Amino acid sequence: QVQLVESGGGLVQAGGSLRLSCAASGRTFSSVQMGWFRQAPGKEREFVAAFTWTTYYADSVKGRFTISRDNAKNTVYLQMNSVKPEDTAVYYCAARDGWSRTASPDDYAYWGQGTQVTVSS
């Protein structure tokens, strides 16, 4: 089992920045693949960014968002720059066993409770 707790969400103006954190516990942090997803009202959960041996991103956030991890702190981060109103969503941290460049939420077994990000125009 992996427990995930997100933090860092809030209200930010368009063009601003925000950093989300996800603290993991319960398993060896380096043994699981970590990713970020988001879900806007009335929409399906969608992929944002993840690690395999490298990082990969959804086209909608590429060049603006950066995923990183601190293995010593068992924490994954999502740095969000140049945010847009369409980035408004609940952001979820997720983990899975195995390693692949998957963007499907169905492939992730462990989820945090989510943190709300609201971007005002």
Side-chain angles (χ1 to χ4, degrees), residues 14-99:
S17 298
L18 206 61
R19 188 176 81 158
L20 307 182
S21 299
C22 172
S25 61
R27 287 270 300 276
T28 302
F29 184 61
S30 59
S31 70
V32 294
Q33 180 175 345
M34 303 293 297
W36 286 96
F37 290 77
R38 67 186 182 186
Q39 188 166 18
K43 295 188 176 181
E44 294 189 352
R45 194 167 296 190
E46 66 175 8
F47 170 76
V48 176
F51 283 99
T52 54
W53 298 272
T54 62
T55 56
Y56 61 107
Y57 299 89
D59 288 342
S60 59
V61 307
K62 201 173 295 182
R64 300 187 297 121
F65 292 8
T66 302
I67 187 172
S68 63
R69 62 194 295 164
D70 185 334
N71 288 340
K73 295 183 178 180
N74 286 357
T75 300
V76 175
Y77 303 98
L78 185 69
Q79 178 67 42
M80 306 168 60
N81 296 330
S82 302
V83 295
K84 305 175 181 179
E86 51 263 45
D87 294 322
T88 295
V90 177
Y91 282 71
Y92 296 91
C93 178
R96 64 184 297 269
D97 296 307
W99 298 85

